[in-house]
Amino acid sequence: MNNNNNNYYDYAASTPVSPIVFETMQVWQSDKFANPSSSHEEGILAANAIQQAREIISEKIGAMPSEIIFTSGASEANNLALKGIAFASLDCKGHIITSTIEHKCILSTCLFLESIGFQITYIKPSKDGFINPQLVSKAIQTNTILISIHHVNNELGVIQPIKEIGDIAFEKSVPFHTDAAQSFCKCDIDVDDMNLDYLSLSGHKIYGPKGIGALYVRGARGANIVPLIHGGGQELGLRGGSSPTPLIVGLAAAVSNFPEDKSDQQIRAEKVFTRYKFVRNGGDKVVPSIWSIKFVSDAESRRFNEDHQWLVSQGSACNSLSNIASHVLSEIGFNDAEARRTYRVSFAPYRIED
């Protein structure tokens, strides 16, 4: 899918709502607006549409429809996974393993949990941003209640060894969560093959609407989560509030219509980059739609900016409002000067072959 704004190269931050998703949502915004918790005919119609969306999303990751809990996005899903599991262990607290290059919503949640007595181990990446599964294995303690490692890094595009970490977690009987906001639909995901107990995903990274995401919760693990939002029993009692039918239907439509091929924009951009001297960060295990590039000099960086008024990020969108170097770049050893010459150029996402 292409965007009319040819200067926009920040799709890892957000994608447009595709025409087919927009069209699919419209009827649920106006004509079919009933609350899906209502027992009358219109409410049942909305509930059925939501159930169909669960089936579409669950099939994409090899889960059961009942294991999909809708949230407002991946950040809420991540919070529900980490806090929900931690709050179930408030009496004894416990130990959580994550990495130093997670999305900020994971790191901020871990910082909060540390402040109330939980122990957090932060795994450092390699210079390419790769999380070594053996470091995760060595960090496991008798009181470890969760491992949370992202699937694809939002700044570098690095694909983490989720299956290997999942195998370790399964062998040690430790619940395993991954933030899949940047990998869902792009990469093949099978929650059973990867031994995932929890998985977070987002709509606005895959041409769906903002304000919708989901948390996959393995059936046997649901009882181990304390809800963050209590309400009328929606989402198996794990997330209260009236279900946003248009957003949920839109998320499912985005999944069903996710593109298979790279955009013309990316093909053109790949040719443009042959004119500049830079290093692509992240090693060789990266999604092709996210490029973290470090120009070899300030002059080369200025030349690129003068030639092209591209809308890109320095780091991630979460870092764009500060002048501080991205925590991800700092963790892989970049100094301030190197970080200033580094840009995340992200193209319209599409499914990649393993």
Side-chain angles (χ1 to χ4, degrees), residues 284-299:
D284 57 358
K285 294 183 179 179
V286 295
V287 291
S289 57
I290 297 177
W291 289 30
S292 173
I293 61 173
K294 180 178 68 174
F295 289 103
V296 297
S297 66
D298 289 342

Side-chain angles (χ1 to χ4, degrees), residues 13-189:
S14 194
T15 59
V17 174
S18 71
I20 192 167
V21 170
F22 185 83
E23 182 180 350
T24 303
M25 292 171 60
Q26 285 302 95
V27 66
W28 300 100
Q29 300 273 22
S30 51
D31 296 341
K32 300 177 181 179
F33 57 85
N35 191 317
S37 296
S38 299
S39 59
H40 50 63
E41 182 179 352
E42 289 296 318
I44 293 171
L45 191 65
N48 289 341
I50 289 175
Q51 177 61 21
Q52 185 179 11
R54 282 189 214 281
E55 293 171 1
I56 291 170
I57 294 163
S58 63
E59 184 179 6
K60 195 70 177 177
I61 60 173
M64 298 291 291
S66 61
E67 296 174 319
I68 302 299
I69 306 301
F70 290 113
T71 67
S72 64
S75 288
E76 184 190 335
N78 286 335
N79 271 261
L80 178 57
L82 271 66
K83 290 178 183 173
I85 293 165
F87 290 172
S89 304
L90 278 176
D91 290 342
C92 58
K93 300 299 191 291
H95 172 240
I96 295 172
I97 299 170
T98 189
S99 83
T100 59
I101 57 171
E102 299 294 313
H103 189 277
K104 283 191 173 181
C105 69
I106 292 283
L107 296 178
S108 295
T109 299
C110 287
L111 184 63
F112 165 73
L113 292 174
E114 278 187 297
S115 75
I116 61 174
F118 288 85
Q119 181 187 358
I120 313 291
T121 294
Y122 298 93
I123 305 297
K124 287 187 171 292
S126 71
K127 62 181 178 60
D128 287 328
F130 187 79
I131 303 300
N132 187 330
Q134 292 309 310
L135 295 180
V136 176
S137 181
K138 290 178 182 178
I140 294 173
Q141 304 175 6
T142 56
N143 66 336
T144 302
I145 60 174
L146 183 69
I147 297 169
S148 180
I149 302 292
H150 61 287
H151 192 185
V152 168
N153 185 267
N154 63 312
E155 294 190 30
L156 302 174
V158 175
I159 303 171
Q160 302 296 354
I162 293 303
K163 178 171 171 33
E164 290 86 343
I165 296 171
D167 289 345
I168 292 167
F170 180 78
E171 180 183 351
K172 302 287 181 122
S173 298
V174 178
F176 181 36
H177 164 259
T178 193
D179 176 354
Q182 293 290 351
S183 64
F184 179 58
C185 289
K186 302 175 190 176
C187 305
D188 287 338
I189 297 174

